[in-house]
Amino acid sequence: DTGVSQDPRHKITKRGQNVTFRCDPISEHNRLYWYRQTLGQGPEFLTYFQNEAQLEKSRLLSDRFSAERPKGSFSTLEIQRTEQGDSAMYLCASSLNTLTGGTYGYTFGSGTRLTVV
Amino acid sequence: AQSVTQLGSHVSVSEGALVLLRCNYSSSVPPYLFWYVQYPNQGLQLLLKYTSAATLVKGINGFEAEFKKSETSFHLTKPSAHMSDAAEYFCALTGANNLFFGTGTRLTVIP
């Protein structure tokens, strides 16, 4: 397994356009997370999935943000009608969550850097 | 509520000197704690983690951290800094279903 993969690495878009990012987690991991990181800050949690179920989405920044994980494997994060304030690094992570042992091994991808012009 | 505070947004050390990056946490339950390193335009790489076993945790690249419950701290140390250690370092704490991160400490290593 090559770890968590994110695509694209960089995205430049014009304000008002929609963008979609993809994340491929480690195959054995059942949880997938999305984080946003702005300049000079630590990553900020957005949402997560357990298999295909999105169990937390209240931290998504606005209703312009949505995420899917249709088959419990890869995930997409979409931002509609992008704004300049959406410019950030979007990080994906995956982990293995067990019923008895908790969550182990958060592994992060290299991120997608979004620039809205 | 869970939170992490990293003291010092920038730390500079000379090559070969001790590295000390500070992290304090607040947690209503026994915490799992992590240190991650981030190089420019890269994702986060796990340095080490504390999961309630040994309080002194050894990680990669010669880093280690000590969990001190009485001080609610999890400071990161390395005896001798190397130029390749220059990066951003993040302390993190497990929440119910995610990680809470500190704001990061940028480490500069002076030749």
Side-chain angles (χ1 to χ4, degrees):
Chain A
D1 200 328
T2 56
V4 178
S5 299
Q6 292 189 245
D7 183 70
R9 290 293 308 275
H10 303 275
K11 178 71 176 179
I12 300 174
T13 192
K14 292 183 178 180
R15 188 161 48 100
Q17 298 294 305
N18 299 343
V19 294
T20 299
F21 311 139
R22 176 179 170 126
C23 172
D24 287 88
I26 292 174
S27 56
E28 302 81 22
H29 287 180
N30 53 3
R31 284 197 173 181
L32 186 149
Y33 310 80
W34 285 99
Y35 287 79
R36 184 181 79 154
Q37 185 180 21
T38 54
L39 203 61
Q41 298 296 316
E44 173 187 15
F45 171 71
L46 296 178
T47 186
Y48 87 98
F49 295 83
Q50 172 115 352
N51 300 312
E52 67 275 11
Q54 189 174 13
L55 299 184
E56 171 63 65
K57 56 182 180 181
S58 64
R59 302 289 188 91
L60 286 169
L61 300 163
S62 77
D63 58 7
R64 297 184 297 106
F65 287 71
S66 63
E68 293 183 345
R69 194 183 184 196
K71 298 182 180 179
S73 56
F74 74 91
S75 175
T76 57
L77 177 69
E78 182 181 17
I79 308 174
Q80 296 183 326
R81 305 182 302 281
T82 53
E83 302 172 357
Q84 286 190 320
D86 298 332
S87 296
M89 174 82 91
Y90 291 84
L91 294 164
C92 175
S94 68
S95 71
L96 177 64
N97 176 262
T98 65
L99 290 176
T100 56
T103 300
Y104 296 93
Y106 290 87
T107 302
F108 282 82
S110 297
T112 294
R113 180 165 295 282
L114 173 67
T115 302
V116 182
V117 297
Chain B
Q2 266 82 354
S3 68
V4 173
T5 302
Q6 289 186 243
L7 301 175
S9 58
H10 292 85
V11 170
S12 294
V13 299
S14 298
E15 190 176 14
L18 172 71
V19 175
L20 170 61
L21 305 183
R22 300 177 187 275
C23 172
N24 288 88
Y25 69 90
S26 174
S27 178
S28 56
V29 298
Y32 285 6
L33 292 156
F34 305 78
W35 275 99
Y36 285 86
V37 61
Q38 187 176 38
Y39 298 99
N41 294 313
Q42 297 292 318
L44 301 171
Q45 180 183 6
L46 181 66
L47 282 177
L48 49 81
K49 60 184 177 184
Y50 167 75
T51 56
S52 73
T55 56
L56 182 62
V57 182
K58 294 187 183 297
I60 62 171
N61 301 339
F63 285 94
E64 62 182 36
E66 186 172 9
F67 173 72
K68 291 187 177 180
K69 183 178 179 181
S70 61
E71 298 178 7
T72 60
S73 68
F74 190 57
H75 301 331
L76 181 71
T77 60
K78 181 174 181 178
S80 177
H82 191 271
M83 295 299 295
S84 62
D85 295 328
E88 188 92 20
Y89 291 80
F90 292 95
C91 183
L93 168 73
T94 45
N97 295 301
N98 61 285
L99 290 176
F100 290 95
F101 286 87
T103 52
T105 297
R106 180 168 297 280
L107 177 66
T108 300
V109 182
I110 303 165

